[in-house]
Amino acid sequence: MTDTVAVTLVGIFGITGSLLVLASAIAMFRVRDALSRINVFSPSTGLGLPLIVAAAYVYDFHADGFSWGSLLMAAVAVLCLIIVSSVGSNTLSRSSVLSGQPVYRKTAPNRLARPPRGVIDNDPEAPEGPAHRD
């Protein structure tokens, strides 16, 4: 791999990944509720950080040559970033909803405010009777 190709790939991967992380960080300040912040941060951890890992691997490949160890380390890092991102986002979202964190009123569609179609969601604390049914 020539120096020009390596520097170009490292620059493209590194700058693109860094810009995705920066854009996600800026967007986190603009949204109003916890669910939207979690949603906005997902592209950063799902695509931005793996691109930065790819840039580091291309740099290592150019500097030291091919190594199964560094390839395995980069592959495991990308796989772990994707797994941790999805599990972490899901867990944070569920805990945000279950804790009663308010959802911004202009979030549309706000499907968390009502049960899905076809599901009967009875309030266990509501008094019995036909006047209180939905």
Side-chain angles (χ1 to χ4, degrees):
M1 182 181 299
T2 65
D3 288 342
T4 307
V5 173
V7 169
T8 304
L9 285 176
V10 169
I12 289 171
F13 290 160
I15 291 172
T16 304
S18 299
L19 288 176
L20 280 169
V21 172
L22 179 65
S24 292
I26 291 171
M28 285 180 69
F29 286 110
R30 299 183 56 95
V31 296
R32 307 254 180 192
D33 59 343
L35 287 176
S36 297
R37 286 188 179 143
I38 295 166
N39 189 32
V40 165
F41 196 63
S42 294
S44 171
T45 55
L47 184 61
L49 294 177
L51 281 173
I52 293 172
V53 170
Y57 174 72
V58 170
Y59 176 79
D60 186 46
F61 177 75
H62 177 67
D64 299 333
F66 179 76
S67 168
W68 283 106
S70 62
L71 177 63
L72 180 65
M73 191 172 12
V76 167
V78 169
L79 186 66
C80 288
L81 282 168
I82 292 171
I83 291 171
V84 167
S85 171
S86 62
V87 171
S89 294
N90 191 10
T91 304
L92 287 171
S93 299
R94 286 180 54 87
S95 65
S96 174
V97 169
L98 293 176
S99 71
Q101 186 73 23
V103 178
Y104 185 54
R105 62 182 171 77
K106 290 187 178 181
T107 300
N110 188 358
R111 294 189 179 120
L112 296 173
R114 58 190 180 283
R117 183 176 295 156
V119 174
I120 298 173
D121 187 22
N122 294 327
D123 184 7
E125 296 178 9
E128 293 292 323
H132 296 285
R133 294 187 127 181
D134 290 339

